[in-house]
Amino acid sequence: PDIACAADYEALAQAFIPADILAYIAGGSGHDITQRSNQAAFQHWAMTPRILADLKDANTALQLLGQRFQHPIFMAPVAYQSLVHPQGELDTARAAEATDSCMLTSTLSSVTLEQIATRADPARWFQLYFQTRPEDTSALVHRAIAAGYQAIVVTLDAAVQAPGIRAIRAGFQLPDSVKAANLIHQHPDVPIPRNGQSAIFNHYRQHAPSLQQLQQLISESQVPVIIKGVMHPEDAQQLKALGAAGIIVSNHGGRSLDGAPASLSVLADIRQAIGDDFPLLFDSGIRSGSDVFKAIALGADAVLIGRLQLYSLSVAGALGVAHMIKLLREELELCMAMTGCASLAAIRATALQPTLSGY
Amino acid sequence: PDIACAADYEALAQAFIPADILAYIAGGSGHDITQRSNQAAFQHWAMTPRILADLKDANTALQLLGQRFQHPIFMAPVAYQSLVHPQGELDTARAAEATDSCMLTSTLSSVTLEQIATRADPARWFQLYFQTRPEDTSALVHRAIAAGYQAIVVTLDAAVQAPGIRAIRAGFQLPDSVKAANLIHQHPDVPIPRNGQSAIFNHYRQHAPSLQQLQQLISESQVPVIIKGVMHPEDAQQLKALGAAGIIVSNHGGRSLDGAPASLSVLADIRQAIGDDFPLLFDSGIRSGSDVFKAIALGADAVLIGRLQLYSLSVAGALGVAHMIKLLREELELCMAMTGCASLAAIRATALQPTLSGY
Amino acid sequence: PDIACAADYEALAQAFIPADILAYIAGGSGHDITQRSNQAAFQHWAMTPRILADLKDANTALQLLGQRFQHPIFMAPVAYQSLVHPQGELDTARAAEATDSCMLTSTLSSVTLEQIATRADPARWFQLYFQTRPEDTSALVHRAIAAGYQAIVVTLDAAVQAPGIRAIRAGFQLPDSVKAANLIHQHPDVPIPRNGQSAIFNHYRQHAPSLQQLQQLISESQVPVIIKGVMHPEDAQQLKALGAAGIIVSNHGGRSLDGAPASLSVLADIRQAIGDDFPLLFDSGIRSGSDVFKAIALGADAVLIGRLQLYSLSVAGALGVAHMIKLLREELELCMAMTGCASLAAIRATALQPTLSGY
Amino acid sequence: PDIACAADYEALAQAFIPADILAYIAGGSGHDITQRSNQAAFQHWAMTPRILADLKDANTALQLLGQRFQHPIFMAPVAYQSLVHPQGELDTARAAEATDSCMLTSTLSSVTLEQIATRADPARWFQLYFQTRPEDTSALVHRAIAAGYQAIVVTLDAAVQAPGIRAIRAGFQLPDSVKAANLIHQHPDVPIPRNGQSAIFNHYRQHAPSLQQLQQLISESQVPVIIKGVMHPEDAQQLKALGAAGIIVSNHGGRSLDGAPASLSVLADIRQAIGDDFPLLFDSGIRSGSDVFKAIALGADAVLIGRLQLYSLSVAGALGVAHMIKLLREELELCMAMTGCASLAAIRATALQPTLSGY
Ligand SMILES: Cc1cc2nc3c(=O)[nH]c(=O)nc-3n(C[C@H](O)[C@H](O)[C@H](O)COP(=O)(O)O)c2cc1C
Ligand SMILES: Cc1cc2nc3c(=O)[nH]c(=O)nc-3n(C[C@H](O)[C@H](O)[C@H](O)COP(=O)(O)O)c2cc1C
Ligand SMILES: Cc1cc2nc3c(=O)[nH]c(=O)nc-3n(C[C@H](O)[C@H](O)[C@H](O)COP(=O)(O)O)c2cc1C
Ligand SMILES: Cc1cc2nc3c(=O)[nH]c(=O)nc-3n(C[C@H](O)[C@H](O)[C@H](O)COP(=O)(O)O)c2cc1C
């Protein structure tokens, strides 16, 4: 009864994660406006029950970037997972393998990307943050491909780190024991802003790749390159034109620009802009199978789970994460059965209906 | 003063129903999103007062499926009524007779359908759940007709049982003393899902009738067959085409798909889709005569009362149920008088007006 | 500081009126849905400030039914005023005279209409409830005209008394000491409903005048006849056609049909339906000068104050009522000055703007 | 962690400002309806993140009335600043100079306009209230120009002082030690209203300049004349036609007409009415850099900060004010970076998107 649904891991995790770390994880940037919007957005849609459908061969399988997946519920790249569990990303990888999920490993993993790749063999993609020095960026990409990662996911929405007020108030600091294991040998050469220069704009210039750098990465990469953090139809179109293999509609779980719209609220327009066949993933705010259902209905091929990953990891390690994914999948199947959808493609064709505010 | 209106039975019942059973009854599926929407939906409509109407022959009578009723307030099929009162469905039947209501007896009644039919003689319909084995389904239908039930109501929105989080947390279990009396001789042969098969989709396949099975029931039945659980205009049209005698717009009181729209919010479109003359009943969320009024205004011929039945039964048995129906009817008459409606048909023609949110 | 605005009398009155009587006064019918809507409706409109207007001859005067008034703030007919102050209607009359207001005396006044007329000499109109026996109705009208009342206001929205749940729960009963002084010599001959008859519809038939009775009153009356309780454009048009001298848009302060729309929300459509020149008054929910301003902007010629009358009367008798009217008038003038309106007619021409919900 | 963002000065100031003075500052007029709207209005807009922009020469500079400013965050005219800090306006002036802000000095400053001009040398404009006697008004203007103020800002939305209920209840009175230093030699000759005259309309007539007076001031002034308190497109157009050098869209931080719309909600229409090139400033409700961003996106060239000025002044004098401005500027830069805007002009072209209510 403690865990009656996937979302229950959120409440339960309060007992397993120290308060300052929890503030860092649960919070968004700024005042959590976008973080709250992300979840509220799902309440603006209702799912219409259907009762006469034929569900004989019903399943949740999908094909994406040449890979086949049993279900569309992937593990978002989440940094520093040993903050909440000693095994950190290693356990997450085992859970991903056990549940046929796809794991996205963060540049900022607390265990090296190679170790994660050794521990278990799920579908796995590598999430890349551009580094200040181009050679550091290249090195990361080469290591990921050498370790068998099947795609590169470039996160573009975090060039400036927007502080989260909740984490600041809680006094959160990364503990010495937790490190960005992949970056341990880099030189920390953050240039000092010249007098009168804006610290913000300066920082941005150092951490955001130029269009050329991005294009180069895409054209030279041996594996598909996917861009994470897309929130505008024109950016999506430009990325498609640039040769990206897919995009991830995301506002970084409300951790990037506070005051950005809910990720779900821009999804349909972006799908519309890039056409039906271009790979599009979605994240930010998903806490249940009905959230997954709604994201798919509005245009996502698959979804990423961020915070629920850490919450379930903190509670019971690999087992917790695997259980959480299993619950989400069953919740999704329940929605599909009751709305008469025998496949993910059928969801896409099924209209949600807007709820009246207050409903 | 404790019971100033029908809805008061809800609050009062708290003192008469054990907490775990109350959680099971009061709750919806999942997180009660739809269950709450059902009631909130009524607040989005206001009734326009009229002051110059002639109410000389005002009454609440209606004709439905060849039967004449004094008023449009029927008793929804509600399982296991001895959970809240020792006489269970037997008392409900007496109340239905005393108040000229129509009683829908559930497949899952805690007293056999034959006993209920003996105890009192209200208008009565039998609510049918399809059973895993076709012969079990047929047997139920034959027994119902033999016992004098005047219509078969097939509930189609509960092929998969969606667990209610509230009931799970309260630790609700059906007590040993309460049984599905009509099914006591059936073999419980739930097939075990084969390895790798989805439990959800599997369960659905076993409990949802195929279109053929439905069509067969309709064509062979000696009494009208009504379908309960309709939430989409196209399903309504398909059922009409299939030969159903009527439909019940319902989301099972929020106990089927959590996240479905409020039942009231789909009503007008469904009435529109099937035309003015096709029998259409409504339930989910009704707690007052003004709710009844609004459902009729939006297209219902009559309405079913679910939870209020159990609440009033728990408080005072047959007397409680009869009193509750009487109050609802008077509340409905008050709305009719003050809006200048001399008949149910006049309500249908009377425009409600949307309230502004916050009004 | 206790009384910084007219609305403050509401809070202060809690200390002056016994709880059960307060429940009766403050509450609406049913669950106070309409009563709350009435006040909330004003929040949906904002007033646009203007800064370049010429306010040289600014004033709040108006002409209505051949009478001239210094301002548009009238006293609604409110029954049984000695419930809250020993002088009851007598003090109200003095306050009306002192503040150049117009007083509407209720059929159900706790002091006779003749005594009220003797005590002070404000503009005064008589509010009429039709009585079960036509001769009783005629007698009231004749007495009122003989006593110098300058108009008859027929209230049509209270043919059935809808009980207020709040008052019922508080155990309110009219104390023996308070009586309908004008009706003291009538025979209380309420007919008993025949078996099987609906009490509600029956009661309605006895207390609502027929169209003929209404027409007769209008055609025979020596003073203008105004109809109170209009909430629908068609009723307004029909009354105008019938010869009524004016109408009062009102839902009886939420004390008639619970679930009716806010009075303010139907005002503009009704003004539109009857044209600019037909006398239209408004009440229900007014608590401040900005509420008065908004009602006038949406089409009212003048407004009636209901509950604030009783609240201020309870606190300080005639002085309280006069102070309350003075505050309302100043609040209205402030709104006029800041929106650049030099006259009531100018308000009418000034657009309000809808507020966004949440603003 | 106490001051993680500019808005934090609001909470912190509670410990530095006596309760009655805080009520006077924090409150609006009337019931604070407009004051609350002002802040809520910003929540109705979300900022769309963009990820592919080139921010090489990003900056926040602007040109206004022939002056160049590093950023668009100005200090609103705020009366009686020694209420919260012994140095009052003197410290504010130092902070304005240190942060490259522009300071608007109030007619009602608690230190003379000449002293303020001596203490520091920021860009500075003088805010003018018309005085009852024309010669007093002229004198103020001449002194301001003599002291080097570079523009005259005429506030037109406060001809009638609308009392703030919050301040009244808190018993706020201007302490004897705080005076309108610029007006100390004027004769307080408030004429007594003649009998029967409205106090409100009378007061208005004395404190609002006529159109002629305004036109004369504009045509004779050696420095640009800007009008503060504009809330309607037509007023804006008329002022432009009259020769005003610019306008300030403002409802006086909710301290003028209570019930006026949020200042932000009228901004776009006013910009639209006066064209792209006419100088337009904005205030009322700004508490963060994202608020500044939104005001600029909807048409403002620059914004004024009112209450935050007093809050930060109370906490740490000139240092507090300077820190607050610095934080606002960084917050603005963060929004610009994350929405891909390299200049204020780019913001103007960037669409915000409305949030769904509840988002
Ligand atoms: C603690 C935490 C760390 C994160 N670290 C990364 C990261 O290193 N790289 C990245 O692209 N996204 C990162 N994200 C964002 C997630 O990939 C994902 O976009 C987001 O969590 C989805 O929203 P949700 O948490 O509501 O599911 C992080 C999110 C959280 C909560
Ligand atoms: C405790 C409970 C048991 C129910 N059992 C059945 C049932 O056996 N068959 C059925 O068709 N509907 C069943 N329903 C649904 C009702 O028939 C009806 O659709 C619903 O209660 C209407 O919503 P309301 O409770 O808000 O009035 C049940 C509802 C409740 C609350
Ligand atoms: C206690 C009370 C008694 C009332 N009695 C009468 C009455 O006798 N006749 C009538 O026409 N309206 C009566 N009304 C309704 C008022 O005339 C008026 O329509 C209503 O109070 C306006 O709403 P407000 O109270 O929000 O201002 C009464 C209202 C109250 C609160
Ligand atoms: C305490 C206080 C005093 C003010 N005094 C003046 C003033 O003397 N002249 C003026 O034009 N505006 C005055 N204002 C209004 C401000 O200039 C500005 O319009 C308003 O504060 C902006 O809203 P904000 O406080 O939400 O930023 C005052 C505001 C406050 C809060």
Side-chain angles (χ1 to χ4, degrees), chain D residues 76-77 79 106 127 129 155 228 252-253 255 283-285 287 306-307:
Chain D
S106 167
Q127 178 269 324
Y129 278 130
T155 301
K228 179 166 180 281
H252 216 103
R255 299 168 78 86
D283 77 28
S284 298
R287 298 292 180 274
R307 291 181 181 81

Side-chain angles (χ1 to χ4, degrees), chain C residues 260-285:
Chain C
S263 191
L264 192 74
S265 72
V266 302
L267 174 54
D269 282 351
I270 294 179
R271 166 56 79 191
Q272 162 91 16
I274 56 169
D276 277 356
D277 295 332
F278 193 69
L280 185 165
L281 290 88
F282 170 88
D283 76 29
S284 298

Side-chain angles (χ1 to χ4, degrees), chain D residues 162-185:
Chain D
I165 304 283
R166 221 202 288 185
I168 294 175
R169 298 227 205 281
F172 172 78
Q173 300 270 11
L174 202 60
D176 285 344
S177 57
V178 178
K179 298 220 158 49
N182 296 321
L183 310 181
I184 223 121
H185 302 295

Side-chain angles (χ1 to χ4, degrees), chain D residues 104-335:
Chain D
L104 282 69
T105 295
S106 167
T107 290
L108 302 176
S109 56
S110 53
V111 175
T112 63
L113 62 91
E114 288 86 359
Q115 285 172 290
I116 299 170
T118 317
R119 176 59 156 270
D121 193 30
R124 60 174 182 274
W125 299 353
F126 181 72
Q127 178 269 324
L128 176 71
Y129 278 130
F130 268 74
Q131 305 297 308
T132 310
R133 302 187 318 181
E135 56 271 37
D136 292 335
T137 308
S138 298
L140 280 170
V141 172
H142 289 128
R143 286 170 57 191
I145 290 173
Y149 288 82
Q150 297 130 7
I152 300 293
V153 173
V154 182
T155 301
L156 285 188
D157 62 4
V160 197
Q161 288 289 355
I165 304 283
R166 221 202 288 185
I168 294 175
R169 298 227 205 281
F172 172 78
Q173 300 270 11
L174 202 60
D176 285 344
S177 57
V178 178
K179 298 220 158 49
N182 296 321
L183 310 181
I184 223 121
H185 302 295
Q186 284 190 25
H187 300 272
D189 56 353
V190 183
I192 294 139
R194 268 170 298 147
N195 202 7
Q197 265 195 340
S198 149
I200 304 279
F201 291 132
N202 228 30
H203 195 276
Y204 185 92
R205 280 187 284 269
Q206 285 156 34
H207 293 85
S210 68
L211 272 186
Q212 282 95 316
Q213 289 173 306
L214 204 59
Q215 195 149 26
Q216 188 176 351
L217 173 72
I218 290 173
S219 61
E220 293 179 359
S221 175
Q222 304 152 31
V223 297
V225 175
I226 299 163
I227 308 299
K228 179 166 180 281
V230 182
M231 289 288 289
H232 196 283
E234 287 173 21
D235 285 352
Q237 286 170 323
Q238 194 175 345
L239 288 165
K240 187 179 173 188
L242 228 58
I247 57 169
I248 303 176
V249 171
S250 167
N251 57 27
H252 216 103
R255 299 168 78 86
S256 178
L257 172 62
D258 194 37
S263 192
L264 192 75
S265 72
V266 302
L267 174 53
D269 282 351
I270 294 179
R271 166 55 79 190
Q272 161 92 14
I274 56 168
D276 277 356
D277 295 332
F278 193 69
L280 185 165
L281 290 89
F282 170 89
D283 77 28
S284 298
I286 290 183
R287 298 292 180 274
S288 72
S290 66
D291 293 346
V292 178
F293 181 93
K294 291 172 188 177
I296 292 172
L298 292 169
D301 291 310
V303 303
L304 312 186
I305 304 302
R307 291 181 181 81
L308 278 188
Q309 224 186 104
L310 290 181
Y311 296 144
S312 53
L313 183 66
S314 79
V315 171
L319 226 68
V321 179
H323 183 221
M324 180 272 295
I325 296 286
K326 177 171 177 291
L327 287 173
L328 281 182
R329 184 178 171 178
E330 283 175 6
E331 291 166 14
L332 169 63
E333 288 178 356
L334 192 66
C335 294

